Amino acid sequence: MTEILHAEDLSPPPGSSPSEMFPVLTAAQQARVLAHGQRRTVEQNEIVVELNEPVTKVFLVVSGRLHALQVSNNQEHIVAICNPGMFTGELTVLSGRRGLLRIRAAEKSELIEIEREALQALVETDSELSDIFLRAFILRRLELIEREVGDIVLIGSSHSLATLRIKEFLTRNYQPYSYIDLDRDADVQELLDRFSLSIEDLPVLICRGTAVLRNPSNEEIAGCLGFNEGIDQAHVRDIVIVGAGPAGLAAAVYAASEGLDVLLLESSGPGGQAGASSKIENYLGFPTGISGHELAGRAYTQAQKFGAQMLIAKDAKGLTCDRRPYKVLIGDGQSVPTRTVIIASGAQYRRLNLDNLAKFEGVGVYYGATHLEAQLCSGEEVIVVGGGNSAGQAAVFLAQTTRRVLVLIRSGGLAETMSRYLVRRIEETPNIELHPNSEVVALEGNDHLERVTWRNNQTGQTESHNIAHLFSMTGAVPNSAWLDGCVACDQAGFIKTGSDLTTEDLARAEWSLSRPPYLLESNLPGVFAVGDIRAGNVKRVASAVGEGSIAVSFVHQVLAE
Ligand SMILES: Cc1cc2nc3c(=O)[nH]c(=O)nc-3n(C[C@H](O)[C@H](O)[C@H](O)COP(=O)(O)OP(=O)(O)OC[C@H]3O[C@@H](n4cnc5c(N)ncnc54)[C@H](O)[C@@H]3O)c2cc1C
């Protein structure tokens, strides 16, 4: 039976207290909530929020008691209790997605019912209640994730790329799930039999207790979980933002908070490349660092608080650049019309030039060093390839839990490519070993990477070692192919903006305005490029965030033209 969570017996996430997760509102605070809601009496056992139905309301208990229940195999387990002064809800209420829990009156109760839109108005206008509600929602979601509460079960193997992809997708979207590892859990066969599954079907996602998805795509998972339900794709938006990395999320927060009608498109989940960073230490205001995942989670909640909408697992596949409003194509003949576009589709890791690389991606070769990957190589030897900041961070992070980290770089040293603080950390960490002038030349293994060979380009000597984990951090290529030549790019495919655009670039797009392009504007009027996708970008979270916010100020000017 699931443990009961309530204020008295919770061990809260670090830095928070049970009273922050289940705050009791004062009479004065309750009166302010009532101004946005209405009173409602419910009978004992009445259900006020049903599992898997879109969450459109929260309830504040005036008298009586509500139970939040997890439902599995038709049995209810109490997950939380709301006593007088407490309110229901967690992050789903901001997104309007389907509920993870059922909420039932434990006795006849007096409630204040607040509709989602009214709650949004409340958190935008009442800063004290905004803090209380948002903090509780975030902490409750973290607790649900920690306790794997929800009705999603993933069955897979830690030696499978598809399993890693699905785990990453669920984690990036803050979706609680239970994980059963085929290689470690003896009872898994019983579960497979129950759902008539074979090993070949893995990884399998059992979604909402009934739907069985065999090796599903991210889009299928998003569909089953109802991530994109209720989002109108037909009306003309003020702004469509492509990509929910730091740049896109920042643009969404500023645009939505300034009253614009915003839709974000994201192929995976919020966070972008920064989401793959275990600890960002140079972002303003976080002296002890913050993980990219946490930063993205906060930004995503903030964007939703102001009413921005996000289509998850939806790729922008094209842009109609010959007429306005523009249309961003999203596949299956669907498109989203919009007056302006902010392109924040960032970049992707460069891949090592090795014939059998694909065979080991996710099963020994990784492109991010987060807690997910760190768990896979705890106590072992690992290789980090690359001499930039992301490689440095990965090495320092992995050194905490692995036996030895070998950093392979093609150049003679780190000074020119890595921040000084990271170079110093690497020098001071005894289990990090730097191999300059070195290049990986072969990968070997059966189901998983087992052996890596590299060559010292100065001496010509090769070395082979039994190492099963390689972190490839060798720079990035822009995600701009989907634009198919619609906007002017530099030779490497990064989008040119503002004063970088030549008269030829403008002529090619038939630029007809009397003004030149604004800062961050491409050669298509009202189409902006921000963050790592922009030519001349500086590959920093802070600059991506800054550019996202600056672009929004020019969007206002374009909309007024
Ligand atoms: C491991 C690592 C550590 C880092 N550490 C730091 C650090 O400590 N400090 C620092 O300042 N910077 C750091 N960086 C760099 C920083 O993360 C990037 O500069 C920043 O993420 C760029 O943000 P962005 O929003 O422009 O692009 P991205 O973060 O690349 O986000 C782009 C988003 O667009 C989505 N997307 C792509 N194509 C499409 C499409 N067609 N349709 C819909 N969505 C699409 C992607 O899925 C992605 O979510 C690090 C990078 C990495 C990889």
Side-chain angles (χ1 to χ4, degrees), residues 427-453:
E427 287 165 355
E428 288 165 0
T429 309
N431 62 335
I432 300 182
E433 209 174 81
L434 185 66
H435 290 249
N437 307 307
S438 299
E439 194 175 341
V440 177
V441 289
L443 304 174
E444 293 165 69
N446 290 312
D447 297 340
H448 194 281
L449 179 66
E450 291 167 20
R451 198 168 172 78
V452 181
T453 305

Side-chain angles (χ1 to χ4, degrees), residues 182-243:
L182 180 68
D183 309 317
R184 293 188 194 163
D185 200 317
D187 296 333
V188 77
Q189 194 57 50
E190 192 191 319
L191 194 83
L192 294 179
D193 292 345
R194 210 176 102 217
F195 286 94
S196 309
L197 293 165
S198 70
I199 301 289
E200 287 73 48
D201 293 321
L202 295 180
V204 161
L205 190 82
I206 301 175
C207 177
R208 300 206 237 126
T210 49
V212 177
L213 308 179
R214 293 161 173 80
N215 191 9
S217 65
N218 291 351
E219 198 168 357
E220 284 172 306
I221 301 172
C224 184
L225 296 175
F227 279 178
N228 298 329
E229 280 172 2
I231 297 182
D232 179 4
Q233 297 174 20
H235 79 266
V236 183
R237 303 276 175 166
D238 291 330
I239 175 167
V240 165
I241 300 167
V242 180

Side-chain angles (χ1 to χ4, degrees), residues 172 242-248 265-283 314-317 344-349 367-369 389-390 393 421 473 479 482 530-533 537-542 544:
R172 281 209 168 203
V242 180
L265 294 178
E266 168 54 52
S267 7
S268 171
Q273 293 172 82
S277 171
S278 47
K279 204 170 198 187
I280 298 167
E281 293 201 53
N282 54 1
Y283 188 56
K314 281 279 178 209
D315 278 15
K317 294 195 189 314
S345 49
Q348 254 177 19
Y349 281 108
Y367 295 93
N389 279 353
S390 55
Q393 281 175 10
Y421 83 95
M473 307 271 179
N479 290 321
W482 63 274
V530 294
D532 279 17
I533 189 72
N537 76 79
V538 290
K539 298 185 182 57
R540 290 279 186 280
V541 174

Side-chain angles (χ1 to χ4, degrees), residues 340-387:
T340 65
V341 182
I342 292 186
I343 302 170
S345 49
Q348 254 177 19
Y349 281 108
R350 199 164 276 136
R351 299 165 83 239
L352 295 174
N353 190 14
L354 297 165
D355 285 348
N356 58 352
L357 178 73
K359 178 178 168 190
F360 298 113
E361 285 177 320
V363 284
V365 174
Y366 313 102
Y367 295 93
T370 67
H371 290 277
L372 268 181
E373 289 83 10
Q375 279 170 10
L376 300 173
C377 49
S378 170
E380 298 183 37
E381 270 191 331
V382 302
I383 290 176
V384 171
V385 180

